[in-house]
Amino acid sequence: MRIVPRQDHGALVLAVTGDLDIDNVAPLGAALESAASDGDGTVVVDLSDVSFADSTTVNVLLQGQTLLGPRLRLAAPSPFMERLIGILGLDSALPVFPTVAKAIDPPLPA
């Protein structure tokens, strides 16, 4: 598992790659905690290259939502993550966007 942080149009994007499980998800939790204490901008977790995630990962994302509130957005879920999000209904607790760009600058409601 690897996390590559970057700034994109004022948002912190955390590009996550690989398998996320109980043995290696702690750095994602630490990155979300750091983002909560370091600023007030949007935090986007780019899930496009996540090949596996377990319940510990879901818990870390939900804890991130508790820390960051509406600032936290999930983006570009890989097919595995899209299925996991759908099965668990995670999109009812966290906003999920099809792309990082849309997560950074979501469309205004009609």
Side-chain angles (χ1 to χ4, degrees), residues 4-15 31-32 34-36 38 41-46 71 73 104:
V4 177
R6 71 177 191 275
Q7 289 292 320
D8 190 342
H9 292 87
L12 171 62
V13 177
L14 301 172
L32 294 173
S34 178
D38 287 348
T42 300
V43 178
V44 177
V45 180
D46 178 353
R71 294 175 46 206
R73 300 170 185 171
I104 291 170

Short mmCIF file of all heavy atoms in Angstrom, two decimals, residues 4-15 31-32 34-36 38 41-46 71 73 104:
data_model
loop_
_atom_site.label_atom_id
_atom_site.label_comp_id
_atom_site.label_asym_id
_atom_site.label_seq_id
_atom_site.Cartn_x
_atom_site.Cartn_y
_atom_site.Cartn_z
N VAL A 4 0.25 8.72 -1.88
CA VAL A 4 0.99 9.85 -2.44
C VAL A 4 0.11 11.10 -2.29
O VAL A 4 -0.91 11.23 -2.97
CB VAL A 4 1.35 9.62 -3.92
CG1 VAL A 4 2.05 10.84 -4.49
CG2 VAL A 4 2.20 8.37 -4.07
N PRO A 5 0.48 12.00 -1.37
CA PRO A 5 -0.30 13.22 -1.21
C PRO A 5 0.12 14.28 -2.23
O PRO A 5 1.29 14.35 -2.62
CB PRO A 5 0.04 13.67 0.21
CG PRO A 5 1.40 13.11 0.47
CD PRO A 5 1.52 11.86 -0.37
N ARG A 6 -0.85 15.08 -2.66
CA ARG A 6 -0.54 16.20 -3.53
C ARG A 6 -1.61 17.27 -3.35
O ARG A 6 -2.73 16.98 -2.90
CB ARG A 6 -0.46 15.77 -4.99
CG ARG A 6 -1.78 15.40 -5.63
CD ARG A 6 -1.63 15.05 -7.12
NE ARG A 6 -2.89 14.94 -7.79
CZ ARG A 6 -3.67 13.87 -7.84
NH1 ARG A 6 -3.27 12.77 -7.23
NH2 ARG A 6 -4.82 13.87 -8.47
N GLN A 7 -1.27 18.49 -3.70
CA GLN A 7 -2.22 19.58 -3.70
C GLN A 7 -2.78 19.73 -5.11
O GLN A 7 -2.03 19.66 -6.08
CB GLN A 7 -1.56 20.89 -3.26
CG GLN A 7 -1.19 20.92 -1.79
CD GLN A 7 -2.41 20.94 -0.88
OE1 GLN A 7 -3.41 21.60 -1.15
NE2 GLN A 7 -2.34 20.20 0.21
N ASP A 8 -4.08 19.92 -5.21
CA ASP A 8 -4.72 20.08 -6.52
C ASP A 8 -5.87 21.07 -6.36
O ASP A 8 -6.86 20.77 -5.69
CB ASP A 8 -5.23 18.73 -7.01
CG ASP A 8 -5.70 18.75 -8.46
OD1 ASP A 8 -5.96 19.84 -8.99
OD2 ASP A 8 -5.81 17.67 -9.05
N HIS A 9 -5.72 22.26 -6.91
CA HIS A 9 -6.74 23.30 -6.86
C HIS A 9 -7.20 23.56 -5.42
O HIS A 9 -8.40 23.68 -5.15
CB HIS A 9 -7.93 22.96 -7.75
CG HIS A 9 -7.61 23.00 -9.20
ND1 HIS A 9 -7.10 21.90 -9.87
CD2 HIS A 9 -7.69 24.00 -10.10
CE1 HIS A 9 -6.90 22.23 -11.13
NE2 HIS A 9 -7.24 23.49 -11.30
N GLY A 10 -6.27 23.63 -4.50
CA GLY A 10 -6.57 23.94 -3.10
C GLY A 10 -7.01 22.75 -2.26
O GLY A 10 -7.26 22.90 -1.07
N ALA A 11 -7.12 21.58 -2.86
CA ALA A 11 -7.53 20.39 -2.12
C ALA A 11 -6.32 19.49 -1.90
O ALA A 11 -5.41 19.44 -2.72
CB ALA A 11 -8.60 19.62 -2.89
N LEU A 12 -6.35 18.78 -0.79
CA LEU A 12 -5.36 17.75 -0.54
C LEU A 12 -5.89 16.46 -1.14
O LEU A 12 -6.98 16.00 -0.78
CB LEU A 12 -5.12 17.57 0.96
CG LEU A 12 -4.25 16.36 1.36
CD1 LEU A 12 -2.83 16.50 0.79
CD2 LEU A 12 -4.22 16.22 2.87
N VAL A 13 -5.15 15.88 -2.08
CA VAL A 13 -5.54 14.61 -2.70
C VAL A 13 -4.58 13.54 -2.18
O VAL A 13 -3.36 13.68 -2.27
CB VAL A 13 -5.47 14.69 -4.23
CG1 VAL A 13 -5.80 13.34 -4.85
CG2 VAL A 13 -6.41 15.77 -4.75
N LEU A 14 -5.16 12.49 -1.63
CA LEU A 14 -4.39 11.35 -1.15
C LEU A 14 -4.62 10.20 -2.13
O LEU A 14 -5.68 9.57 -2.13
CB LEU A 14 -4.84 10.94 0.25
CG LEU A 14 -4.74 12.01 1.34
CD1 LEU A 14 -5.41 11.53 2.63
CD2 LEU A 14 -3.29 12.38 1.58
N ALA A 15 -3.65 9.99 -3.01
CA ALA A 15 -3.75 8.92 -4.00
C ALA A 15 -3.27 7.63 -3.35
O ALA A 15 -2.10 7.50 -2.98
CB ALA A 15 -2.92 9.26 -5.23
N ALA A 31 -2.79 9.97 7.82
CA ALA A 31 -2.88 11.05 6.82
C ALA A 31 -4.18 11.82 6.99
O ALA A 31 -4.20 13.06 6.87
CB ALA A 31 -2.76 10.48 5.42
N LEU A 32 -5.28 11.12 7.28
CA LEU A 32 -6.56 11.80 7.48
C LEU A 32 -6.54 12.61 8.77
O LEU A 32 -7.06 13.73 8.81
CB LEU A 32 -7.70 10.78 7.48
CG LEU A 32 -7.93 10.07 6.14
CD1 LEU A 32 -8.97 8.95 6.31
CD2 LEU A 32 -8.35 11.04 5.06
N SER A 34 -3.89 13.94 10.16
CA SER A 34 -3.03 15.08 9.88
C SER A 34 -3.78 16.14 9.08
O SER A 34 -3.68 17.34 9.37
CB SER A 34 -1.78 14.62 9.12
OG SER A 34 -0.97 15.71 8.79
N ALA A 35 -4.54 15.72 8.09
CA ALA A 35 -5.31 16.66 7.28
C ALA A 35 -6.34 17.40 8.13
O ALA A 35 -6.58 18.59 7.92
CB ALA A 35 -6.00 15.93 6.13
N ALA A 36 -6.91 16.71 9.09
CA ALA A 36 -7.91 17.33 9.96
C ALA A 36 -7.30 18.41 10.83
O ALA A 36 -7.92 19.46 11.08
CB ALA A 36 -8.58 16.28 10.84
N ASP A 38 -4.35 20.02 10.09
CA ASP A 38 -3.50 20.94 9.34
C ASP A 38 -4.24 22.01 8.55
O ASP A 38 -3.60 22.95 8.09
CB ASP A 38 -2.60 20.18 8.35
CG ASP A 38 -1.49 19.44 9.06
OD1 ASP A 38 -1.28 19.68 10.26
OD2 ASP A 38 -0.84 18.60 8.42
N GLY A 41 -9.33 22.76 4.14
CA GLY A 41 -9.72 22.52 2.76
C GLY A 41 -10.26 21.12 2.54
O GLY A 41 -10.28 20.28 3.43
N THR A 42 -10.68 20.89 1.33
CA THR A 42 -11.20 19.60 0.91
C THR A 42 -10.09 18.54 0.93
O THR A 42 -8.95 18.82 0.57
CB THR A 42 -11.77 19.71 -0.52
OG1 THR A 42 -12.82 20.68 -0.51
CG2 THR A 42 -12.29 18.40 -1.03
N VAL A 43 -10.45 17.34 1.37
CA VAL A 43 -9.53 16.21 1.37
C VAL A 43 -10.16 15.11 0.53
O VAL A 43 -11.26 14.63 0.83
CB VAL A 43 -9.26 15.70 2.81
CG1 VAL A 43 -8.33 14.49 2.78
CG2 VAL A 43 -8.69 16.81 3.67
N VAL A 44 -9.48 14.76 -0.56
CA VAL A 44 -9.99 13.76 -1.49
C VAL A 44 -9.13 12.51 -1.40
O VAL A 44 -7.91 12.58 -1.52
CB VAL A 44 -9.97 14.30 -2.95
CG1 VAL A 44 -10.44 13.23 -3.92
CG2 VAL A 44 -10.81 15.56 -3.06
N VAL A 45 -9.77 11.37 -1.18
CA VAL A 45 -9.07 10.09 -1.19
C VAL A 45 -9.32 9.46 -2.56
O VAL A 45 -10.44 9.07 -2.88
CB VAL A 45 -9.54 9.16 -0.05
CG1 VAL A 45 -8.78 7.84 -0.11
CG2 VAL A 45 -9.35 9.82 1.31
N ASP A 46 -8.27 9.42 -3.37
CA ASP A 46 -8.32 8.86 -4.71
C ASP A 46 -8.18 7.35 -4.60
O ASP A 46 -7.11 6.84 -4.24
CB ASP A 46 -7.22 9.47 -5.57
CG ASP A 46 -7.14 8.92 -6.97
OD1 ASP A 46 -7.87 7.95 -7.30
OD2 ASP A 46 -6.34 9.45 -7.76
N ARG A 71 -15.65 17.82 4.51
CA ARG A 71 -14.39 18.08 3.79
C ARG A 71 -13.86 16.81 3.13
O ARG A 71 -13.11 16.89 2.17
CB ARG A 71 -13.34 18.61 4.76
CG ARG A 71 -13.65 19.97 5.32
CD ARG A 71 -12.65 20.40 6.37
NE ARG A 71 -11.28 20.17 5.94
CZ ARG A 71 -10.26 19.97 6.78
NH1 ARG A 71 -10.45 19.96 8.08
NH2 ARG A 71 -9.05 19.77 6.31
N ARG A 73 -13.91 13.53 0.90
CA ARG A 73 -14.60 13.00 -0.28
C ARG A 73 -13.81 11.84 -0.84
O ARG A 73 -12.59 11.88 -0.89
CB ARG A 73 -14.74 14.10 -1.33
CG ARG A 73 -15.54 15.28 -0.80
CD ARG A 73 -15.49 16.45 -1.72
NE ARG A 73 -16.18 17.57 -1.08
CZ ARG A 73 -16.17 18.79 -1.54
NH1 ARG A 73 -15.51 19.06 -2.66
NH2 ARG A 73 -16.81 19.74 -0.92
N ILE A 104 -13.10 17.51 -6.18
CA ILE A 104 -12.51 18.79 -5.78
C ILE A 104 -13.50 19.92 -6.00
O ILE A 104 -13.65 20.81 -5.17
CB ILE A 104 -11.20 19.05 -6.57
CG1 ILE A 104 -10.13 18.07 -6.12
CG2 ILE A 104 -10.73 20.50 -6.39
CD1 ILE A 104 -8.89 18.07 -6.98
#
